Amino acid sequence: MRGECFSELNDDWEFHQGDLGGIWEACRPVKKGDPEDALGWENVTLPHCYNARDAVDPEVAYYQGAGWYRKDLLPENPFSGGLTFLHFEGTGQICDVYIGTEKIAEHRGGYDEWSVDISPYLPDDGKEPVRLSVRCSNERDLEIIPSDLSDFCLYGGIYRPVRIIYRPAVYMGSLLLTSTLSETMKSAQLHLRAELNCGKATNASLEISDPSGNPILRESLEFRDGLLEDTVYLNDPFLWSPDSPSLYKCSLVLDHSPDQVYSESFGFRHFRFEKHGPFYLNGERLLLRGTHRHEDHAGGGAAMSPELIEREMRMIKAMGANFIRLGHYQQSRQVLELCDSLGILAWEEIPWCRGGLGGESYRNMGKEMLRNMIFQHYNHPSVILWGLGNENDWPGDFSGFDQEDIRSYMKELHDLSHSLDGERMTSIRRCDFCRDIPDVYSPSIWAGWYRGHYREYKESSLRHIAEVDHFLHVEWGASSHAGRFSEDPYLGLENIKTGVGTDERGSDASLYGGLSRVSKDGNWSENYACDLFDWTLKEQETMGELTGSAFWPFKDFATPLRPENPVPYVNQKGVVERDLSPKESFFVVQSYWSDTPMLRLFGHRWSDRWGGDGELKEFRVYSNCSRVELFLDGISLGVKTRDSGDFPAAGLRWEAELSFGCHRLRAIAPDEGLEDEYLFQYHSADWGSPYALRDTVLERTEGFVEIEVSVVDRDGRICLDCEEYVEFSLAGTGELLDNRGTSRGSRKVQLCNGKSGIKLTAREGEAVVGVACGNLNPLFVSV
């Protein structure tokens, strides 16, 4: 809710990683650099995550423990007799707040917003600053949600913004808006429920503005015993939808405090999930085309700037998505505001994820997380589903695993959600013994990755649609190592069994043992991932019963459970890397979902292709344009017409013979005036066994140097099928840009077609990059 007088508190913090001997260590008057300053506090700016780098460090497990923040605070409350609050948008995972040496608040939970009234702890004269200290901890605790068995990092730190909020003695603590449409959608009503912090009677002025900002209604309303409830009616409302995210604004001004304007955006929309059938928005079928988002980014962990968050959400919208699952926890208010303004429907959930079910404090924590999520994000028209859990059939944290106990608790959460919000529906993913409890259920379907073949996707989905009242498929896709390509992406997959189901079970995510599966036996090429996406998206267009789906996830993210992935400790199922660099699968999705004309030649990073001299090779274009013409070395290979049913690439594929040398590909969409091109090298000679490392300085820019290394045989030919790990180190001046969790931003990473690379900062003086790869002699590169 906007309306408070506030100041950002994101600058001039000091941070210490580790615990203190006592709170006095955060308060004693020791200047930075003094010998007594043994803790070595460092200057930081919020948002800040103390796992920004170690979450993807290939050599150590990420830090799970305490981290302390401190700063001096001099509040300047403009209201006589007013109150002063600290407001935290997100702190991970347990947080204690101190003013001076006195502990004044604590909070359990890493993802919801919370406030603390610091007024009683401030000096009366208000002339001297007070020391504010905040202890965060993400240490392991089985009675804390989420479980450490979750496939994502439980980050530590103050990783969302902090504000100091000034309020008058009487202020409005909440404003909940419930908007409903008539059956004809020609009229609407808005129910307001506002509450003061005390039982005072007062009046307020209401103003409603339409999506263009024009005032359309003004009324005087009355608070009785601190509570206001009223309903206003509107005719011919503008409807909120992904294509037209029309947002109204409701503003309330308290008569006794006219400089306090409380404003909230809202929208009118109606949705329903048809039993065993599709999803409808505002009376029309809408195929939900979605993805997932983790709050995680290269170089920052969970601490993302507002600019980064907006860039990511706009990329999701530009891809053509109209739906997102915010997994697996309540996310920042900015994300929900962008869902509203961009037109992206949302499933938001609490982080009850894996491990089983803990004791009383654990269960109370889950309920409190649900209350806070619903209360804090109630007014967002983008939200249609409150998620109650994820993979709750996954035991491990407790000696017992009682399915009936889990069912009972799930039912409690379901009922609590409906008591707090009677308009939205509940949902869970992958807990079959609870599938009858939530309003919407998503089973596990990983066709072509963890089990079976992607061609089984439709059959499997239709079976599940018939099994539950309301089905929505969230989580599907494939891992891919950005920059790795294959002339035969199905090599090694000959023993994949079909007809054994398409769900993920037990240790299917492991790279060892069990049935043959693509996740274990495939080469994680971008080629295979694109095929799986291409086929699945094609099939979804033909399924009239389908509500929709969300592939997992939009962006690669850090996880402690995957140390042996090509990029260690990174879940690589994203269609963009952890720094938002698109993979080829991003453009496959965009070619099916986006209404904006787009054209993409497949394989921009496939700089080296191989095969026999004169061998016939395939070239693909992913586009939503009706006609595309392809040129190889300036010669037209013909015009193709797009047909989404013609797999692969919707028929936009060509074949031509290649010979050794450099070639140029160029594609044009003549009707839309779009074109795309790139160069590649074709290798027709076989290469031998890996013999040596070879380096190339790719780029020198102001402040940075980028190097590339290749594994070559005795004759200097690149070993294009080499997938060994390569490790980088640095001696001398400068710094490696590593621990970013990307294919070209990691100190240890698997090769892509015999190559890898990394950047470093360039400074005066000598620097030597060391490169090691298996049993090969190490390479030393002076830069």
Side-chain angles (χ1 to χ4, degrees):
M1 180 171 59
R2 303 165 185 81
E4 303 98 349
C5 177
F6 67 87
S7 297
E8 301 287 348
L9 277 187
N10 297 322
D11 297 327
D12 302 321
W13 288 81
E14 291 183 303
F15 169 71
H16 166 68
Q17 182 164 310
D19 225 333
L20 303 182
I23 183 59
W24 177 242
E25 286 192 305
C27 297
R28 62 188 180 191
V30 178
K31 293 183 179 179
K32 188 173 180 64
D34 284 357
E36 293 181 34
D37 185 28
L39 294 175
W41 295 78
E42 62 176 299
N43 296 324
V44 299
T45 299
L46 305 184
H48 179 265
C49 173
Y50 53 75
N51 302 117
R53 290 178 52 81
D54 67 8
V56 290
D57 191 314
E59 297 173 353
V60 298
Y62 80 107
Y63 174 73
Q64 291 185 271
W68 282 84
Y69 298 83
R70 70 182 185 183
K71 73 173 289 154
D72 289 331
L73 193 63
L74 184 60
E76 298 179 346
N77 197 319
F79 302 106
S80 177
L83 304 173
T84 301
F85 291 80
L86 289 176
H87 184 81
F88 297 86
E89 286 194 24
T91 54
Q93 298 280 320
I94 306 299
C95 190
D96 302 322
V97 180
Y98 296 79
I99 297 290
T101 59
E102 185 173 0
K103 180 178 176 179
I104 65 169
E106 63 179 55
H107 181 76
R108 286 161 50 92
Y111 310 101
D112 51 346
E113 300 189 20
W114 57 286
S115 296
V116 52
D117 182 359
I118 64 173
S119 309
Y121 309 97
L122 300 177
D124 293 336
D125 59 16
K127 295 180 179 179
E128 294 295 325
V130 296
R131 173 58 56 89
L132 168 64
S133 303
V134 180
R135 179 187 186 271
C136 294
S137 176
N138 63 339
E139 58 196 331
R140 300 177 75 90
D141 186 339
L142 295 183
E143 289 292 335
I144 294 294
I145 299 174
S147 167
D148 280 294
L149 294 175
S150 301
D151 193 10
F152 56 91
C153 292
L154 279 59
Y155 285 121
I158 308 178
Y159 48 69
R160 292 185 193 151
V162 177
R163 295 178 178 86
I164 186 166
I165 297 176
Y166 304 112
R167 292 169 173 148
V170 177
Y171 65 91
M172 199 165 72
S174 65
L175 173 58
L176 299 182
L177 306 175
T178 304
S179 56
T180 55
L181 286 166
S182 66
E183 288 188 10
T184 63
M185 287 176 274
K186 296 297 183 181
S187 62
Q189 62 183 40
L190 177 70
H191 181 76
L192 299 88
R193 190 181 193 280
E195 194 168 355
L196 299 179
N197 65 311
C198 64
K200 183 180 177 67
T202 187
N203 291 335
S205 299
L206 168 70
E207 181 178 281
I208 304 292
S209 300
D210 69 15
S212 298
N214 303 311
I216 56 173
L217 184 148
R218 290 189 176 96
E219 286 188 8
S220 180
L221 303 176
E222 182 181 0
F223 280 88
R224 297 181 179 180
D225 297 324
L227 182 65
L228 180 154
E229 289 203 67
D230 194 67
T231 301
V232 296
Y233 300 89
L234 300 173
N235 291 320
D236 298 318
F238 295 95
L239 302 186
W240 186 97
S241 71
D243 290 335
S244 181
S246 302
L247 291 174
Y248 288 76
K249 183 156 74 170
C250 170
S251 298
L252 274 177
V253 180
L254 302 181
D255 287 359
H256 74 274
S257 184
D259 51 350
Q260 293 280 288
V261 181
Y262 298 87
S263 298
E264 287 280 353
S265 295
F266 67 95
F268 293 107
R269 51 97 181 104
H270 177 270
F271 71 90
R272 68 181 174 91
F273 287 80
E274 185 173 297
K275 189 173 183 179
H276 305 305
F279 174 81
Y280 288 87
L281 182 70
N282 300 333
E284 297 182 359
R285 189 208 171 183
L286 178 69
L287 181 63
L288 295 174
R289 295 168 163 172
T291 186
H292 298 73
R293 180 182 188 270
H294 260 300
E295 208 153 63
D296 181 276
H297 194 80
M304 294 183 64
S305 68
E307 295 77 17
L308 264 179
I309 291 174
E310 181 166 357
R311 179 185 166 200
E312 179 179 351
M313 294 299 292
R314 288 190 178 279
M315 283 184 71
I316 290 171
K317 182 66 176 182
M319 183 183 63
N322 59 26
F323 172 72
I324 192 168
R325 178 179 175 222
L326 301 174
H328 296 292
Y329 38 77
Q330 180 176 330
Q331 298 194 11
S332 78
R333 61 168 68 179
Q334 184 190 2
V335 171
L336 274 298
E337 289 167 356
L338 286 165
C339 286
D340 291 344
S341 61
L342 294 174
I344 303 175
L345 292 155
W347 159 338
E348 190 172 33
E349 68 190 31
I350 62 171
W352 181 30
C353 180
R354 297 187 179 180
L357 183 60
E360 183 178 359
S361 65
Y362 182 105
R363 299 170 195 226
N364 289 337
M365 185 179 183
K367 293 176 187 176
E368 188 64 18
M369 285 177 154
L370 183 61
R371 289 189 191 95
N372 290 343
M373 179 177 70
I374 293 176
F375 179 77
Q376 292 167 13
H377 291 167
Y378 184 90
N379 294 337
H380 293 285
S382 55
V383 178
I384 58 173
L385 294 168
W386 298 123
L388 308 179
N390 175 71
E391 297 180 354
N392 303 107
D393 58 354
W394 196 305
D397 279 345
F398 308 100
S399 57
F401 187 78
D402 188 333
Q403 292 188 5
E404 287 303 315
D405 200 19
I406 291 174
R407 280 183 55 83
S408 177
Y409 184 65
M410 188 76 75
K411 183 66 164 59
E412 285 186 61
L413 294 176
H414 172 78
D415 292 342
L416 175 60
S417 176
H418 279 291
S419 71
L420 297 171
D421 184 350
E423 189 250 353
R424 294 179 176 95
M425 303 175 79
T426 62
S427 54
I428 62 171
R429 180 198 167 267
R430 212 198 97 169
C431 186
D432 276 354
F433 61 80
C434 287
R435 67 183 183 182
D436 60 314
I437 295 174
D439 300 313
V440 177
Y441 181 65
S442 174
S444 177
I445 305 174
W446 280 94
W449 189 246
Y450 288 125
R451 297 231 168 194
H453 197 286
Y454 56 69
R455 291 178 182 268
E456 296 180 276
Y457 174 78
K458 184 173 182 178
E459 176 188 0
S460 181
S461 296
L462 292 176
R463 183 174 68 253
H464 285 294
I465 289 172
E467 291 174 348
V468 295
D469 286 350
H470 305 122
F471 166 96
L472 176 60
H473 181 207
V474 295
E475 295 199 25
W476 60 272
S479 294
S480 59
H481 189 27
R484 178 178 289 172
F485 295 91
S486 176
E487 298 289 350
D488 184 2
Y490 297 88
L491 186 66
L493 304 183
E494 299 82 6
N495 296 320
I496 299 291
K497 292 185 178 180
T498 58
V500 296
T502 58
D503 56 322
E504 177 193 4
R505 305 175 209 169
S507 59
D508 281 356
S510 170
L511 299 181
Y512 305 98
L515 289 175
S516 179
R517 54 192 181 275
V518 181
S519 59
K520 175 176 70 78
D521 301 318
N523 62 7
W524 290 34
S525 69
E526 295 206 51
N527 308 70
Y528 181 85
C530 286
D531 276 1
L532 186 147
F533 272 88
D534 194 354
W535 179 270
T536 306
L537 295 168
K538 171 188 78 72
E539 292 292 83
Q540 289 174 355
E541 289 193 347
T542 70
M543 298 167 63
E545 309 91 332
L546 184 66
T547 54
S549 77
F551 66 82
W552 176 263
F554 179 69
K555 180 172 65 174
D556 292 350
F557 62 93
T559 167
L561 304 187
R562 301 174 187 261
E564 295 176 320
N565 277 3
V567 180
Y569 295 109
V570 174
N571 187 317
Q572 295 177 250
K573 294 188 182 72
V575 298
V576 301
E577 291 200 78
R578 201 166 173 253
D579 62 358
L580 292 176
S581 299
K583 303 180 189 179
E584 295 296 331
S585 48
F586 173 91
F587 302 101
V588 179
V589 178
Q590 192 177 44
S591 72
Y592 279 92
W593 288 359
S594 177
D595 293 329
T596 302
M598 56 79 59
L599 178 77
R600 173 75 173 189
L601 271 166
F602 174 78
H604 270 249
R605 292 173 65 177
W606 199 0
S607 57
D608 296 273
R609 296 198 62 172
W610 62 92
D613 199 29
E615 186 175 336
L616 204 62
K617 292 293 181 180
E618 183 184 77
F619 309 97
R620 298 182 186 178
V621 172
Y622 287 100
S623 176
N624 56 11
C625 300
S626 58
R627 298 187 306 132
V628 176
E629 185 172 10
L630 185 69
F631 297 84
L632 176 64
D633 299 327
I635 300 173
S636 175
L637 300 183
V639 177
K640 299 278 187 176
T641 300
R642 188 180 190 278
D643 175 6
S644 63
D646 187 358
F647 175 83
L652 300 179
R653 58 186 187 274
W654 294 258
E655 288 186 333
E657 295 180 354
L658 288 178
S659 57
F660 173 79
C662 183
H663 299 274
R664 179 186 296 272
L665 273 180
R666 179 170 174 260
I668 64 170
D671 300 331
E672 291 79 10
L674 299 178
E675 64 177 74
D676 189 23
E677 67 176 357
Y678 68 83
L679 300 173
F680 67 94
Q681 184 75 26
Y682 186 71
H683 303 261
S684 57
D686 291 337
W687 55 87
S689 300
Y691 176 73
L693 290 164
R694 184 174 64 193
D695 69 277
T696 304
V697 176
L698 286 183
E699 186 178 13
R700 291 182 184 271
T701 56
E702 186 175 352
F704 297 97
V705 177
E706 182 178 2
I707 67 167
E708 182 178 77
V709 296
S710 307
V711 173
V712 298
D713 65 10
R714 285 181 177 272
D715 297 319
R717 289 187 288 259
I718 300 176
C719 301
L720 292 167
D721 61 351
C722 187
E723 300 176 356
E724 292 291 329
Y725 283 104
V726 62
E727 298 186 56
F728 298 95
S729 59
L730 179 68
T733 62
E735 180 182 2
L736 283 178
L737 298 182
D738 62 351
N739 286 352
R740 300 183 63 79
T742 63
S743 62
R744 294 240 167 173
S746 300
R747 189 166 69 258
K748 178 182 179 181
V749 63
Q750 282 185 10
L751 295 163
C752 295
N753 303 128
K755 295 181 179 181
S756 189
I758 199 165
K759 284 186 177 182
L760 63 147
T761 58
R763 299 176 186 164
E764 288 188 13
E766 187 177 358
V768 177
V769 177
V771 187
C773 182
N775 295 323
L776 302 180
N777 288 330
L779 178 69
F780 300 98
V781 186
S782 295
V783 293

